[in-house]
């Protein structure tokens, strides 16, 4: 029997960034930073973690000017969310090790006007999460 809890590969409502106040502070606040991994751009900010909050919250955005049809925008959002869901342990482990009292709020923004396959999207999400965890 393992001594540590296995990673939960879920993405619940608590882990999605829905609060208008948090979204505004992420994009308009001075404490946020950005990094790119084409075709994605990640804007992130570190905030104080309260009791019962997840280690990270995400928002996925695909601009309408890149894809006019909602079907394609929704597909890309599903790809990014799935890639994050399977690789979120990279950031969660780093936060638990280095900054247990902090949580990350992140927005993944798709910047290309071409649809990429899942392997490319997952590699970029993993790359961005690894780079963020190294900055902690």
């Amino acid at each position: 029997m393992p001594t540590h809890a296995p990673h939960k590969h879920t993405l619940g409502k608590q882990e999605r960034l829905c609060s208008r106040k948090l979204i505004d502070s992420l994009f308009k606040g001075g404490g946020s930073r950005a990094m790119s991994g084409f075709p994605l751009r990640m804007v992130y900010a570190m905030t104080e973690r309260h009791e019962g909050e997840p280690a990270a919250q995400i928002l996925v955005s695909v601009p309408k000017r890149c894809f006019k049809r909602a079907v394609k925008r929704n597909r890309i959002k599903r790809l990014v969310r799935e890639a994050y869901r399977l690789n979120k342990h990279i950031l969660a482990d780093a936060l638990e090790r280095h900054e247990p009292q902090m949580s990350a709020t992140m927005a993944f923004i798709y910047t290309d006007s071409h649809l990429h396959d899942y392997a490319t999207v997952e590699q970029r999400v993993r790359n961005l999460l690894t780079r963020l965890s190294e900055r902690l």
Side-chain angles (χ1 to χ4, degrees):
M1 192 159 164
T3 56
H4 64 283
H7 297 294
K8 286 183 73 174
H9 293 294
T10 59
L11 187 64
K13 174 77 171 163
Q14 289 248 328
E15 294 179 90
R16 295 184 189 208
L17 188 56
C18 298
S19 164
R20 173 58 81 190
K21 193 168 130 184
L22 280 174
I23 293 169
D24 286 344
S25 71
L26 181 63
F27 288 106
K28 294 184 176 103
S32 61
R33 296 198 149 98
M35 62 175 74
S36 289
F38 187 79
L40 291 170
R41 180 172 178 259
M42 181 174 72
V43 179
Y44 67 94
M46 302 305 287
T47 56
E48 192 172 322
R49 188 170 173 183
H50 300 291
E51 188 67 35
E53 278 188 358
Q57 289 184 311
I58 68 159
L59 165 85
V60 180
S61 173
V62 181
K64 196 184 272 190
R65 67 179 154 79
C66 292
F67 292 96
K68 299 294 183 206
R69 303 215 177 248
V71 172
K72 287 189 177 183
R73 290 196 305 273
N74 291 338
R75 173 154 176 76
I76 292 169
K77 286 191 256 185
R78 281 196 310 271
L79 290 176
V80 174
R81 280 196 304 262
E82 179 68 4
Y84 174 78
R85 182 184 74 83
L86 293 175
N87 294 291
K88 68 181 180 178
H89 63 87
I90 297 169
L91 181 62
D93 292 345
L95 280 169
E96 288 299 321
R97 264 195 317 272
H98 302 295
E99 300 284 339
Q101 72 282 5
M102 299 298 278
S103 76
T105 54
M106 299 171 286
F108 289 97
I109 303 162
Y110 198 85
T111 58
D112 194 12
S113 59
H114 298 302
L115 186 63
H116 292 271
D117 62 336
Y118 175 72
T120 305
V121 172
E122 184 184 25
Q123 178 189 10
R124 296 313 193 282
V125 168
R126 192 179 316 122
N127 182 325
L128 289 169
L129 290 174
T130 304
R131 286 169 47 198
L132 178 57
S133 64
E134 288 169 355
R135 287 189 180 188
L136 295 177

